[in-house]
Every structure is written in structure tokens, then in C-alpha cells.
Amino acid sequence: MNYYYGKSQFNSLRRAQEKYYLLTNQRGGYSSLSISGSASRNEQVLLMASVKAPNHWVQFISNMEEIVTVEEKERSLLSQEFVGYTKNAEGFRYQDSFEMADFPTYRYRVFGVELEKRVVMKHEENLLLLSYSMANRSANPVKIRLKPWFRFTKKGDMPLQGQTLEMKEGYMSSNGYSLRYKT
């Protein structure tokens, strides 16, 4: 079944947080965010790994922030409602659509740049793939930075104050958990 949500569903962050996707890896891990790309519930994250089935989950990656820069103008595509509502991230304002066919697909348009992001989860592994494609219609150089929001906590827990992240070639670890990665 295919679902498509256009610009009219993104007239407010609250409205865009009413619907969300859920991808599972068939071993207890999952990816779930709203159609605006935000986490509107504590258990919504980009990568929730099942480190020991059936119910030992670790929130590894809360979200991925894409930052588009054209001619020294910069915009974040991250959407997130924060406690107190004072500094919400409103990347949904640049979002053209969200589509759920085989995989969640987000489409953005900012500064004449069209960016498409797909989220794919590998079957029976705690492995997530983000695939990006871009069309530059601005005739200017474009820079896209990816900023992962790491968490490394048990499901439902908040990050610890002073928690550090250690990176070694191909691995990241924090709080007793490790994550293998490829670039």
C-alpha cells in the first residue's frame, strides 16, 4: 500500500506529527519518525536497535539533520518540537512531500535545491541505510552536511549528563553500547 502526503499536510509541525512511519528489521529493532521527520514520542527514533530479543532496546540514533548551504545561506531540514516550544526546528517548511511505498521517502526544496532522502532498514540486522539524491537547480555550488543526533541509551532513558561518544575506525561507542558504521 502506498501513502503520499503533500505540502498541505505540512502547514504546521503539530499537524505533520500526527502520522508516522514504522520500519522493522524482524528481530525487534525499528525506525520510526513522523512524516515531517520529527520524533513526536519518546520511543520514536531513526534507529532503535534490539540488542537482545525480545525487549532489550537501545536508542542509537535519534535523527539525522541535513544542513543545506548555497552561497553562504544555510538552512537545516530538521524538524523537531522541543520541550517549552521555544526553539523548535522547522525544516518541515522546506518539505514538499512524504511518501511511504516500499520505504519512507522525504522530499525537500530549498534555495533551488531538491533533496530526496530514503530510509531503509536491513532485514534481521540493526542496520539502517539513508540514501540521498539531489537536483541542483540553483546554478550555484551546494554543500550538504549530515549531522547525526546520537543517543546511545536504553529505550525510554535520557542521555546522561557528561556522556561521551568515542569514535574509532568503523565503530562508535558510548555508555557501554557500540555501533558499527560505514560512510
Side-chain angles (χ1 to χ4, degrees), residues 5-43:
Y5 300 95
K7 197 81 169 154
S8 63
Q9 275 79 26
F10 305 107
N11 59 2
S12 74
L13 184 55
R14 286 274 172 101
R15 177 127 189 249
Q17 291 183 139
E18 292 173 355
K19 295 176 176 52
Y20 53 91
Y21 75 84
L22 174 64
L23 291 179
T24 65
N25 65 3
Q26 303 299 309
R27 73 177 266 195
Y30 66 87
S31 176
S32 179
L33 293 173
S34 73
I35 64 172
S36 67
S38 65
S40 57
R41 295 176 177 84
N42 190 33
E43 64 274 356

Side-chain angles (χ1 to χ4, degrees), residues 28-74:
Y30 66 87
S31 176
S32 179
L33 293 173
S34 73
I35 64 172
S36 67
S38 65
S40 57
R41 295 176 177 84
N42 190 33
E43 64 274 356
Q44 286 185 318
V45 293
L46 188 59
L47 178 58
M48 179 77 75
S50 175
V51 293
K52 185 176 179 187
N55 58 2
H56 185 166
W57 292 286
V58 175
Q59 301 176 53
F60 276 111
I61 305 171
S62 296
N63 214 327
M64 180 68 75
E65 181 176 7
E66 296 84 14
I67 302 163
V68 178
T69 306
V70 177
E71 290 190 315
E72 299 182 29
K73 293 184 288 184
E74 187 174 273

Side-chain angles (χ1 to χ4, degrees), residues 106-130:
Y106 295 87
R107 291 182 187 88
Y108 302 91
R109 185 186 323 256
V110 60
F111 304 135
V113 175
E114 297 170 11
L115 186 68
E116 180 179 276
K117 172 174 76 172
R118 284 201 171 110
V119 182
V120 180
M121 186 161 230
K122 188 164 183 185
H123 184 69
E124 294 190 357
E125 288 191 43
N126 291 314
L127 186 62
L128 189 77
L129 170 71
L130 298 179

Side-chain angles (χ1 to χ4, degrees), residues 74-180:
E74 187 174 273
R75 291 292 183 272
S76 169
L77 302 181
L78 179 74
S79 293
Q80 187 58 54
E81 187 173 56
F82 294 105
V83 175
Y85 312 108
T86 55
K87 295 183 179 179
N88 291 341
E90 298 188 338
F92 72 93
R93 297 190 184 281
Y94 308 105
Q95 190 171 352
D96 280 342
S97 66
F98 172 86
E99 184 176 2
M100 182 65 186
D102 295 327
F103 307 105
T105 303
Y106 295 87
R107 291 182 187 88
Y108 302 91
R109 185 186 323 256
V110 60
F111 304 135
V113 175
E114 297 170 11
L115 186 68
E116 180 179 276
K117 172 174 76 172
R118 284 201 171 110
V119 182
V120 180
M121 186 161 230
K122 188 164 183 185
H123 184 69
E124 294 190 357
E125 288 191 43
N126 291 314
L127 186 62
L128 189 77
L129 170 71
L130 298 179
S131 170
Y132 292 91
S133 61
M134 179 186 75
N136 182 2
R137 308 207 190 291
S138 73
N140 295 304
V142 176
K143 179 179 176 183
I144 298 176
R145 288 184 299 138
L146 302 178
K147 181 179 173 184
W149 289 42
F150 295 113
R151 189 137 180 184
F152 286 88
T153 60
K154 289 182 182 178
K155 181 180 180 183
D157 287 356
M158 295 300 291
L160 302 171
Q161 188 165 353
Q163 182 176 337
T164 60
L165 175 68
E166 182 179 339
M167 294 183 74
K168 294 181 180 177
E169 188 174 327
Y171 290 90
M172 287 178 271
S173 63
S174 179
N175 212 28
Y177 302 107
S178 63
L179 175 69
R180 182 173 51 100

